[in-house]
Structure formats: C-alpha cells, structure tokens
Amino acid sequence: MLDHLGREFLHRALTSYDVFVHLPVEFPLHDGTPPIVEHFRVLSDRLLLNTLHAAGAPVRTVSGPLDDRLAALVALTGA
C-alpha cells in the first residue's frame, strides 16, 4: 500500500513541477530534544534525492548562507 502511494505521489510531483530545488539543512540540530535525530535526517534526505534522480527529475541543490540561497532561487526562477 505504501509503495503504491509513493509511486502515485512521485508521478503527481513529476507531472506537476518543472524542477525540484533541494535545500539541504546545513546546521546542526540544537541541544535538548531535537524534533528528529540526525541519522533520520540524513537518511530521509538521501532517499528523497535518490528517488528524484532515479525518476529522472531535474534537481538543483542550493546551499550556502540565506542570501546566497535566495539569489540562486531567484536566478533559477528567472525572476
């Protein structure tokens, strides 16, 4: 059931969007009780990228400080 839903979500995303922008998390989780553990964060990021690449989806990774990310996003959208 989950596999079927995943394929349906992927199909819907691929037919709805021209490009996917990956904004990797580039800061450590805070001390205390983080919302997720680092291992899950890394695995989910890898799964997302692997799935998009395997489907042939165009993926652009935008990283760096906030101002750099915003400039790259504006450049990607042609705005």
Side-chain angles (χ1 to χ4, degrees):
M1 174 82 170
L2 289 177
D3 189 45
H4 177 72
L5 281 174
R7 285 193 306 269
E8 184 61 34
F9 291 148
L10 179 61
H11 172 73
R12 180 74 161 191
L14 293 173
T15 58
S16 299
Y17 302 105
D18 297 327
V19 66
F20 295 86
V21 178
H22 176 240
L23 301 167
V25 177
E26 298 179 326
F27 54 86
L29 294 171
H30 296 290
D31 292 337
T33 306
I36 61 171
V37 296
E38 184 66 24
H39 181 68
F40 175 78
R41 186 163 78 164
V42 170
L43 288 178
S44 61
D45 205 42
R46 187 179 309 141
L47 175 62
L48 172 67
L49 290 174
N50 288 346
T51 301
L52 290 171
H53 287 299
V59 179
R60 305 290 182 265
T61 298
V62 177
S63 60
L66 180 59
D67 290 343
D68 293 349
R69 288 178 182 225
L70 289 174
L73 288 170
V74 168
L76 284 171
T77 62

